[in-house]
Each structure stands twice: as C-alpha cells, then as structure tokens.
Amino acid sequence: MKKLSSPEFSRLREKTRLVLAGRDPADSYGFVNPPIVRGSTVVYPNMEDFMVRKARYTYGTQGNPTIDALLAALNTMEGGAGTVVCPSGLLACTLPMLAVLSSGDHLLVTDSVYRPTRIFCDKMLKRMGVEVTYYDPAIGAGIAGLFKPNTKAVWTEAPGSQTFEMQDIPAIVEAAHARDVLVLMDNTWATPLFFDSHKFGVDLSVQAGTKYYAGHSDVLIGTVSARTPELYKRLREAWETLGVIIAPEDAFLTLRGIRTMHIRLKEQMPAGIEMANWLAARPEVARVLHPALPSDPGHAIWKRDFTGASSLFAIELKPVPTKAVGAMLDGLSLFGMGASWGGYESLVLPFDCTAYRTATKPGFAGPTIRLHIGLEDLEDLKEDLDAGFARLRAAA
Ligand SMILES: Cc1ncc(COP(=O)(O)O)c(C=O)c1O
C-alpha cells in the first residue's frame, strides 16, 4: 500500500478519511489496526536526551501512540486545528471552560444545557469567581443584548439534549465574534458528520464521545476540538496542566466506533424520524420534540445548518398520572431505561426539566419522555411501545 502524503489525504472524502485516519500498518507490524500501547514511564537513552525530554513521547500523561491514532481520526472529522480527549463527555464540557475563563469573567450559558454542565457552572465556576447567566436557547442575534464588558464566552448546545430547542449558531457566532467573545458548543447530538461546527465559527467544539463516537455503550470518553492553532494551544495547555488522560483501551474502542459511525447514523437517523412521526400520530402524545420534523419550531434552523439528525428526541404525553407512565415504561422489553444514548440499543427515560431551568419555562402540561432509537427493527420497537401505550391507557 502506498503511503499518502498529507495533502493527498486531505483531498479524500470524509468516509475514506475515516477508514484511513490514524493507522499505518507499517507502524503496527503489518496489522490493520494500531496496537494498544499502555505506559506511564518513557525511558530515554541517555542523560542529555532526558534533560531536554528529547523523545517522540515524553511521559504517559502527554499522550501515546494509541491516543494519537484516535486524535488523527478526530481531527479529520472535526476539521479544527487540534483536539484533546478526556475520560468523560462531562469533562469535555468543563475543560474548555477552565481553559478560557478566569476569575471576574462572565459566561453566557443556554438554559437548555446538559444538566451536569449546568451544575459545574453553578457550583465550581461561580466559586472560582466566574459570573454565569443563563439565556433563552432561541435568543439568536439577541445574545448581543446580554454581553457585558467582562463577557468572555457563550456556551451553546443545539439541540438541547432533553428539550431539543435548536439554536441559531451563525447568529450567535456573528454577535460574539464582533465583541471578541468565544463560542463554545456541545455538538454531541449532531456529531461533526451532521453539523460542521468549526465551519460555522464555533471556537471550541465538544463531543460526549461516549454517545455516537464509541457507539456501543461500553466507553466513557469526551473530545474537545479547537478552531484555531491559538485556541488549541490554550486547550492543550489546560489538558496537560490538569493531567487529563484517557486509557489506551478507551482510545482504541472509540477509534473502532468512529470507523463505522456514519453507517450507524445512516440507519439511526431515518429510524429516529420515522419513530418520531409514528409517535406524533398517537392519540396519547401531545407533542414530539425533534428538530427534523417540519412541525418543530427549530426545523427551519435545522434544515438550514445541519445535514442530518441523530436518533435522540423527546415526547410530551397528554396529561396522565405518574403511575400510568410507570406502567408504560416499566413493561417495555426492548427499551432500556438509562441516562446515556448514542449506542446501538434503544433507550427511554422520563425527565422533568421544569425545576432547574431559570431563563425559560418550557410549558409542558403532561409528562415528558426522552427516547433513543437504536439499531433494532423499527417494527419490533413500535410493537413494544404500542403495548406500552395500552398499559398507559389502562392505568390512567
Ligand atoms: C449533551 C451531552 N453532553 C455531555 C454529556 C456527558 O457525557 P458523559 O456521559 O460521557 O459524561 C452527555 C451525557 O449524557 C450529554 O447528553
């Protein structure tokens, strides 16, 4: 196999790059995949080299060949200046904030933010002297009205991982960059395959790689990609200073997941949309929250900026007692009840975001349920839910 030069590689289309990135059989004893390299200590041939740390890898916390293989694939997808990897998606949310914020700074955060990110803002950032203001996810260009002289960054998440409001990222980027304010985004729902966040000006883009990247519910991992070399330098410095490192097995498994991610999403996107439409037609359902549905308030933005949808969405039921929801969900045999998503299996969970939102009050009259559609046959999933709705009606 002829080795491609870097410009030759960059000219390839995304699917091909995802197959090739981060591996060179010549470095792997001829095997297709890179080996898992475990290690803390790196030994040097002599004192002179040790004193100046003259080595490709200097110490386990600074990276290793397995992690570099993953980074090569991530960079190829994210299209930024550089990426760092973290041992959870949550750390991938908090690390970029630590990288760019200092005491006395002001941060704007979407009210639809993933709740543990919100808890980090409310507890740690505030304790460290960072002022945090939550804003309506639908604010768009109106974000300019919330800027203060000390505003450093805007945190976005589109769509919100429970309530699925879309955000006008180009409008927020334009307003923020006009004031030298950075835009950070949790892009886990769309992945870079469906939303090219750096192309839209997002400065630091986060993935909970635990979801679609790893894709098999067996790894916790997060990634942060920086748009410019200067931002990458700041991000990498925070990563090194804090000693954030991942296990090489997790790097290997995530890389394995990324190779087939577009195939999984190609199945899961239409399955999610079909299921959302099926649910929208059910008499027990008041509303479906899925930006790919034309009836969704965020649909126009989704259509304009995104090239696809993942398979996570929510429904609002018509008002029923909690025990009826329990009867429906507890009897499901194909949907596990669990908090993550992005794997090959379907999941369901009840949620209530009304208690902790502060800038907006999503008006749900009935119970809300989040669904993740996996790779099962859709007809089996519908039959499982159909039986669930029968239990719901009987218990209502
Ligand atoms: C939108 C979003 N961001 C970040 C995370 C955190 O990922 P992890 O579970 O790997 O910490 C999650 C997890 O559910 C999520 O839904």
Side-chain angles (χ1 to χ4, degrees):
M1 230 173 142
K2 178 185 154 251
K3 200 174 155 84
L4 293 171
S5 67
S6 191
E8 283 171 327
F9 179 80
S10 314
R11 272 198 297 276
L12 294 169
R13 288 159 189 85
E14 186 160 53
K15 274 185 352 191
T16 315
R17 283 188 277 115
L18 282 179
V19 167
L20 293 176
R23 61 186 188 87
D24 180 357
D27 280 346
S28 315
Y29 307 97
F31 286 102
V32 169
N33 290 298
I36 295 177
V37 177
R38 295 196 60 84
S40 52
T41 304
V42 173
V43 290
Y44 295 71
N46 54 51
M47 186 171 119
E48 195 184 327
D49 285 0
F50 179 74
M51 294 305 280
V52 293
R53 302 294 192 272
K54 186 178 162 205
R56 170 73 186 85
Y57 296 99
T58 54
Y59 186 64
T61 54
Q62 311 289 305
N64 76 24
T66 318
I67 292 171
D68 274 358
L70 172 61
L71 290 178
L74 292 173
N75 288 333
T76 220
M77 258 195 312
E78 300 278 358
T83 308
V84 298
V85 279
C86 306
S88 71
L90 178 56
L91 190 51
C93 295
T94 59
L95 180 76
M97 296 191 193
L98 292 173
V100 301
L101 296 168
S102 307
S103 174
D105 288 345
H106 175 228
L107 171 71
L108 286 162
V109 178
T110 176
D111 208 25
S112 56
V113 65
Y114 172 59
R115 195 173 179 204
T117 307
R118 181 183 199 110
I119 293 170
F120 170 79
C121 293
D122 290 344
K123 293 207 163 147
M124 291 195 75
L125 280 188
K126 285 189 183 168
R127 181 161 58 72
M128 289 162 55
V130 175
E131 200 187 332
V132 179
T133 305
Y134 293 96
Y135 66 87
D136 181 345
I139 200 165
I143 195 85
L146 300 181
F147 290 149
K148 301 182 183 192
N150 59 340
T151 306
K152 263 286 161 54
V154 182
W155 183 269
T156 62
E157 184 179 319
S161 61
Q162 282 195 324
T163 38
F164 297 91
E165 299 93 334
M166 285 301 297
Q167 292 203 259
D168 191 340
I169 300 293
I172 291 175
V173 165
E174 195 186 338
H177 286 182
R179 292 276 302 260
D180 279 338
V181 170
L182 295 169
V183 178
L184 282 51
M185 180 177 187
D186 185 335
N187 190 28
T188 305
W189 185 84
T191 83
L193 298 188
F194 292 153
F195 183 65
D196 200 345
S197 55
H198 289 318
K199 207 179 95 198
F200 281 86
V202 170
D203 296 297
L204 292 169
S205 187
V206 168
Q207 274 293 317
T210 308
K211 320 299 176 201
Y212 290 106
Y213 280 17
H216 294 74
S217 305
D218 52 6
V219 178
L220 283 159
I221 194 160
T223 75
V224 193
S225 168
R227 188 172 61 83
T228 65
E230 192 272 328
L231 282 164
Y232 174 61
K233 197 163 158 254
R234 281 166 78 183
L235 180 67
R236 172 89 196 190
E237 192 179 270
W239 183 84
E240 284 187 18
T241 309
L242 288 164
V244 182
I245 195 74
I246 62 165
E249 286 82 1
D250 290 346
F252 182 90
L253 286 171
T254 306
L255 187 51
R256 167 189 277 228
I258 282 174
R259 303 272 186 225
T260 56
M261 182 169 83
H262 60 286
I263 306 285
R264 283 182 277 112
L265 281 170
K266 210 167 150 186
E267 281 283 321
Q268 285 173 273
M269 168 172 154
I273 292 174
E274 188 180 329
M275 184 61 95
N277 278 315
W278 182 81
L279 286 163
R282 298 277 327 186
E284 303 87 350
V285 174
R287 184 154 52 127
V288 176
L289 314 170
H290 192 318
L293 263 51
S295 56
D296 191 271
H299 183 68
I301 292 179
W302 175 80
K303 214 168 157 197
R304 185 191 66 191
D305 298 341
F306 285 45
T307 56
S310 64
S311 61
L312 186 79
F313 63 95
I315 55 172
E316 177 194 353
L317 294 173
K318 291 185 181 153
V320 279
T322 307
K323 72 168 179 24
V325 182
M328 175 186 178
L329 300 186
D330 288 347
L332 294 173
S333 45
L334 301 180
F335 288 82
M337 194 176 298
S340 198
W341 45 284
Y344 59 85
E345 81 290 11
S346 289
L347 294 167
V348 70
L349 55 77
F351 70 91
D352 178 8
C353 62
T354 49
Y356 58 84
R357 300 255 309 220
T358 51
T360 48
K361 286 280 164 232
F364 296 121
T368 40
I369 295 174
R370 193 180 76 176
L371 294 105
H372 172 258
I373 305 303
L375 292 168
E376 303 89 345
D377 192 303
L378 212 48
E379 295 312 310
D380 288 331
L381 294 179
K382 285 180 190 166
E383 281 171 25
D384 201 22
L385 287 175
D386 198 38
F389 281 122
R391 287 190 299 276
L392 177 103
R393 285 193 306 272

